[in-house]
């Protein structure tokens, strides 16, 4: 029996408690929420839940103060928002001269828009969000809010609450990797300021800093124009688009040397210079297929496919973790297997995303439930050609107490393999004699399978 909540518990407290109970009782709720039916009436609707997160008086005051201290005029703020891909009137409630008697709604992209102005850094944005008690929302509540929004949206392209709970707790096993992308955080977003790696290529919107020292002491802030140039006083236009910093530096030795005689490639040069990135540009990419929130996303130009996947909430319970693709126009740029990242901690791709890139998540391939005496029991996705050895490896290997004499594979046969009146399921026993030297045998199987140790 549940203890009664305190009499003066806040509305947000009630919602937090409800979110915790909902997740703790996930198996029961999965059974109680049939497909196609709504949520129980005692749950708050999405608008009520969002109102708790949006009305942030203390945070609104801090943001108004930061924008006011930046020295930007309202027209400059709107211009920067428009250039960054945000609605130009998005921050009008926070500008000087705004009616402070009316509540300013704090939306899910407000901090991102303020950060795009250069008023606060990513770390400061996190600090502002965490400093307000109403924004210190647990992962459980955020998952609850996501599920409420998705159920009300009635979209076949997103997980319903019942499907999400079922996917995470199906037969007591979790779909491996599903929860990783549900716990989003701005700390994963690619940095908006330098430094960057040596392969980063400059583009329109990047902000550079050129510093001259020695005979000439000068510093310049340079923006890469839409045409791909930077304009240096007394030097003129220097082409920078699609160049790395090292390639741009080679050009600058020639161009600066014509104006400043002390600039040359020598340790004894009387004038030296340094070029670095002060701020990275934004790009727009698209995430499509079986993801929680398909759509267009503004991310840093230093972002990778993982950045976009985290923004989109990751694959749904029907989405693949192993057959993702990145397309640029009509060309396939790369294929991703997220198990490299989830199991080995290796970034599955080294490519940089560009404007207009599409990350596509197809429907998953064959699924295998690995249960029993293994380190990490879960539901794993299997690519063609993989074997029992691969599945046990994904599960972290055998538990020290596992018995090699009791390994069973429960196979669900494809229709073409059943024959007339044939069985849909078969059980295959893997004998101890197949574990030569203790190594797991490379047993192959088709379609959906359940493995027990």
């Amino acid at each position: 029996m549940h203890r009664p909540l305190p009499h003066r518990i806040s509305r947000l407290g009630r919602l937090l408690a409800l979110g915790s109970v909902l997740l703790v009782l996930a198996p029961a709720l999965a059974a109680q929420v049939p497909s196609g039916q709504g949520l129980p009436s005692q749950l708050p609707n999405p608008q009520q839940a969002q109102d708790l997160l949006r009305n942030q008086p203390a945070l609104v005051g801090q943001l108004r103060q930061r924008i006011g201290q930046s020295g930007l005029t309202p027209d400059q703020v709107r211009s920067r928002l428009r250039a960054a891909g945000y609605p130009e009137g998005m921050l009008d409630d926070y500008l000087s001269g705004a009616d402070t008697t009316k509540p300013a709604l704090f939306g899910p992209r407000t901090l991102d828009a303020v950060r795009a102005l250069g008023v606060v850094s990513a770390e400061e944005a996190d600090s502002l969000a965490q400093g307000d008690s109403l924004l210190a929302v647990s992962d459980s509540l955020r998952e609850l809010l996501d599920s409420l929004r998705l159920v009300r949206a009635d979209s076949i392209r997103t997980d319903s609450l019942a499907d999400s709970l079922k996917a995470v707790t199906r037969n007591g096993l979790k779909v491996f990797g599903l929860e990783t992308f549900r716990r989003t955080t701005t700390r994963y977003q690619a940095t908006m300021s330098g430094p960057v790696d040596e392969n980063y290529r400059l583009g329109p919107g990047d902000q550079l800093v050129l510093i001259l020292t020695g005979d000439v002491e000068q510093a310049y802030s340079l923006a890469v124009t839409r045409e791909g140039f930077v304009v240096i006083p007394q030097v003129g236009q220097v082409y920078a688009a699609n160049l790395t910093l090292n390639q741009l530096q080679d050009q600058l030795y020639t161009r600066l040397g014509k104006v400043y005689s002390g600039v040359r490639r020598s340790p004894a040069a009387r004038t030296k210079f340094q070029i670095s990135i002060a701020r990275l540009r934004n790009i727009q990419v698209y995430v499509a297929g079986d993801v929680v929130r398909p759509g267009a996303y503004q991310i840093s130009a230093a972002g990778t496919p993982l950045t976009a996947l985290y923004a989109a909430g990751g694959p749904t319970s029907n989405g693949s973790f192993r057959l993702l693709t990145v397309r640029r126009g009509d060309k396939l740029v790369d294929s991703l297997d997220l198990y490299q990242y989830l199991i080995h901690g290796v970034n599955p791709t080294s490519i940089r995303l560009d404007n207009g890139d599409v990350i596509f998540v197809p429907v998953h391939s064959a699924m295998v439930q690995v249960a029993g005496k293994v380190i990490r029991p879960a539901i794993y996705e299997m690519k063609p050609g993989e074997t029992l050895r691969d599945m046990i490896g994904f599960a972290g290997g055998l538990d020290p107490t596992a018995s090699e004499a009791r390994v069973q594979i429960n196979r669900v046969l494809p229709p073409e393999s059943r024959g007339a009146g044939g069985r849909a399921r078969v059980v295959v026993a893997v004998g101890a004699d197949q574990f030569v030297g203790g190594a797991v045998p490379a047993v192959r199987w088709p379609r959906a399978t359940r493995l027990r140790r």
Side-chain angles (χ1 to χ4, degrees):
M1 178 178 295
H2 297 291
R3 296 179 181 177
L5 295 174
H7 178 67
R8 293 188 177 181
I9 191 167
S10 67
R11 188 179 184 188
L12 181 59
R14 291 198 299 272
L15 189 55
L16 282 169
L18 177 59
S20 302
V21 172
L22 178 66
L23 294 178
V24 169
L25 301 181
L29 282 176
Q32 294 173 8
V33 186
S35 177
Q37 293 189 13
L39 293 171
S41 59
Q42 67 268 25
L43 288 178
N45 62 46
Q47 187 60 46
Q48 292 172 333
Q50 285 291 0
D51 287 344
L52 295 177
L53 296 178
R54 287 183 177 177
N55 295 312
Q56 312 293 335
L59 184 57
V60 167
Q62 293 182 59
L63 292 181
R64 280 174 172 158
Q65 182 181 11
R66 291 294 185 95
I67 295 175
Q69 293 174 348
S70 69
L72 296 174
T73 66
D75 288 341
Q76 289 174 327
V77 170
R78 296 186 185 102
S79 176
R80 291 195 181 188
L81 287 175
R82 184 169 58 251
Y86 294 94
E88 63 177 21
M90 186 173 182
L91 297 178
D92 282 357
D93 288 344
Y94 300 85
L95 303 180
S96 59
D99 187 355
T100 57
T101 61
K102 297 181 179 179
L105 292 181
F106 180 83
R109 300 180 66 198
T110 302
L111 278 179
D112 289 338
V114 174
R115 203 173 62 184
L117 297 178
V119 176
V120 296
S121 65
E123 292 76 13
E124 289 173 327
D126 280 342
S127 176
L128 284 172
Q130 293 172 359
D132 190 282
S133 60
L134 290 177
L135 277 182
V137 183
S138 68
D139 286 341
S140 300
L141 179 56
R142 291 195 182 279
E143 291 177 11
L144 172 61
L145 294 175
D146 280 344
S147 298
L148 286 167
R149 286 195 299 270
L150 297 175
V151 168
R152 289 299 181 96
D154 193 25
S155 170
I156 62 173
R157 300 175 63 83
T158 53
D159 285 336
S160 67
L161 176 60
D163 181 61
S164 296
L165 294 173
K166 180 178 66 176
V168 174
T169 62
R170 186 186 303 161
N171 293 333
L173 297 177
K174 298 179 180 179
V175 175
F176 180 69
L178 192 67
E179 291 181 303
T180 302
F181 294 93
R182 301 295 171 89
R183 297 192 177 101
T184 58
T185 168
T186 57
R187 297 185 189 279
Y188 189 84
Q189 294 177 4
T191 177
M192 297 300 293
S193 59
V196 295
D197 62 60
E198 60 184 11
N199 296 319
Y200 178 79
R201 294 191 174 274
L202 301 171
D206 283 331
Q207 297 282 339
L208 310 180
V209 173
L210 173 64
I211 300 176
L212 296 164
T213 57
D215 288 351
V216 177
E217 299 286 341
Q218 190 61 267
Y220 298 107
S221 178
L222 310 174
V224 182
T225 66
R226 291 183 180 276
E227 293 76 24
F229 293 93
V230 293
V231 180
I232 305 175
Q234 302 180 27
V235 176
Q237 290 186 341
V238 179
Y239 192 73
N242 208 35
L243 299 181
T244 65
L245 281 177
N246 287 336
Q247 291 171 335
L248 178 59
Q249 183 172 293
D250 290 338
Q251 287 202 42
L252 290 177
Y253 269 113
T254 302
R255 296 295 300 274
L256 291 175
K258 294 179 180 180
V259 178
Y260 305 104
S261 59
V263 174
R264 56 181 176 172
R265 296 177 185 271
S266 170
R270 299 193 314 274
T271 301
K272 297 181 179 181
F273 72 89
Q274 180 183 17
I275 185 74
S276 60
I277 297 182
R279 183 173 178 79
L280 304 178
R281 67 188 185 278
N282 281 330
I283 60 173
Q284 181 166 285
V285 298
Y286 303 89
V287 186
D290 281 279
V291 292
V292 174
R293 294 180 294 273
Y297 290 90
Q298 290 269 345
I299 64 173
S300 162
T304 67
L306 283 177
T307 311
L309 283 173
Y310 269 96
T316 67
S317 58
N318 292 325
S320 174
F321 281 80
R322 312 200 60 195
L323 303 173
L324 291 77
T325 58
V326 180
R327 293 187 175 275
R328 188 165 296 160
D330 58 351
K331 295 181 179 179
L332 177 64
V333 177
D334 203 356
S335 298
L336 283 71
D337 184 345
L338 295 180
Y339 276 19
Q340 298 178 41
Y341 168 63
L342 297 171
I343 296 175
H344 305 294
V346 177
N347 194 331
T349 179
S350 59
I351 69 165
R352 293 287 188 192
L353 294 177
D354 204 352
N355 257 323
D357 282 358
V358 177
I359 298 94
F360 180 74
V361 180
V363 175
H364 64 70
S365 54
M367 303 296 284
V368 177
Q369 300 180 28
V370 183
K373 296 295 184 176
V374 291
I375 303 299
R376 188 170 48 223
I379 302 171
Y380 296 91
E381 184 177 356
M382 181 176 64
K383 294 171 70 174
E386 291 182 331
T387 66
L388 172 65
R389 182 180 302 160
D390 297 306
M391 296 301 108
I392 296 295
F394 293 157
L398 300 176
D399 187 276
T401 62
S403 172
E404 296 175 356
R406 298 186 61 186
V407 177
Q408 288 185 343
I409 299 176
N410 298 298
R411 289 180 173 173
V412 179
L413 297 178
E416 62 270 16
S417 301
R418 298 175 187 177
R423 293 178 299 173
R425 298 174 180 268
V426 295
V427 178
V428 178
V430 181
D433 58 323
Q434 298 186 52
F435 287 79
V436 180
V440 178
V443 178
R444 298 177 183 272
W445 58 76
R447 296 294 179 94
T449 303
R450 180 181 301 169
L451 171 64
R452 290 192 175 278
R453 290 288 298 127

